[in-house]
Amino acid sequence: GAVVSQHPSRVICKSGTSVKIECRSLDFQATTMFWYRQFPKQSLMLMATSNEGSKATYEQGVEKDKFLINHASLTLSTLTVTSAHPEDSSFYICSAVIRPGGDYGYTFGSGTRLTVV
Amino acid sequence: AQSVTQLDSQVPVFEEAPVELRCNYSSSVSVYLFWYVQYPNQGLQLLLKYLSGSTLVESINGFEAEFNKSQTSFHLRKPSVHISDTAEYFCAVSGGSNYKLTFGKGTLLTVNP
């Protein structure tokens, strides 16, 4: 089945540094990737939609300059948290739309736990 | 715009009891509906989905959900739960050409011995 590999699974960084999270589609081409943020015991909040070869579309209230999204190829999308602060600590999950043979659904990465100290 | 309401934030049940996790949605377009399960510090796993056709959909591990258009609901049921079913369950809806998936706030199902 369609698999999205997300790395790293956990990262601890110092306040003020940047962190890059990668999501790779292993056996399919992901033209559209979604990035979500999840706070403890809460739902997934969509941060942005990235389409291969074009600029990402950010949801209202999400800082474009803080959360840089790049979708340069059909198999790789990255989220860079720039100048991270403790309030950016969260669980980040990527997702891709899959449409195999007329079916329709989503596949999710395993998530990245970011802790900013 | 679309939205999802999961009416129960927590549902405690005893092992082998039946359970229903409620989900209502709103959307201005035709919808696709999903139930996902999330275990701690993991991504989401698809339980089942409704795209079209039969309104009753089933998963391989005994869960089922019924799409009810008139009540705009997609409740998840299982006739007999196991300890291993303890997890967070999310109902989600998508529709329209942008493929955006909107999640409910989730229901924590806790199965007690």
Side-chain angles (χ1 to χ4, degrees), chain B residues 33-85:
Chain B
L33 294 157
F34 304 82
W35 274 101
Y36 291 94
V37 60
Q38 185 180 36
Y39 298 98
N41 291 311
Q42 294 187 28
L44 275 70
Q45 300 174 27
L46 178 68
L47 262 183
L48 44 76
K49 62 184 177 184
Y50 170 78
L51 301 182
S52 63
S54 173
T55 57
L56 183 65
V57 290
E58 300 176 347
S59 71
I60 58 174
N61 55 356
F63 284 95
E64 65 177 32
E66 185 159 20
F67 170 58
N68 188 318
K69 189 174 181 179
S70 62
Q71 297 185 10
T72 60
S73 67
F74 191 55
H75 301 331
L76 181 70
R77 301 184 183 93
K78 188 170 185 180
S80 176
V81 295
H82 302 288
I83 298 285
S84 59
D85 292 324

Side-chain angles (χ1 to χ4, degrees), chain A residues 38 43 59 103-104 106 113, chain B residues 38 41 49 94 99-100 104:
Chain A
Q38 186 180 29
S43 188
E59 295 299 300
D103 197 1
Y104 170 66
Y106 301 82
R113 172 73 60 192
Chain B
Q38 185 180 36
N41 291 311
K49 62 184 177 184
S94 73
Y99 298 108
K100 280 187 181 180

Side-chain angles (χ1 to χ4, degrees), chain A residues 24-49:
Chain A
R24 293 181 182 274
S25 56
L26 299 185
D27 49 3
F28 69 102
Q29 293 182 332
T31 55
T32 302
M33 193 82 81
F34 300 99
W35 287 93
Y36 295 88
R37 181 174 182 176
Q38 186 180 29
F39 290 104
K41 301 186 185 301
Q42 294 189 30
S43 188
L44 283 76
M45 300 301 297
L46 180 64
M47 299 174 66
T49 303

Side-chain angles (χ1 to χ4, degrees), chain B residues 2 5 8-10 20-21 24 26 32 36 44 47 51 53-54 72 74 78 81 86 92-93 97 111 113:
Chain B
Q2 55 199 29
T5 302
D8 305 298
S9 60
Q10 298 185 54
E20 178 180 81
L21 306 184
N24 289 89
S26 67
Y32 303 123
Y36 291 94
L44 275 70
L47 262 183
L51 301 182
S54 173
T72 60
F74 191 55
K78 188 170 185 180
V81 295
T86 295
V93 61
S97 59
V111 182

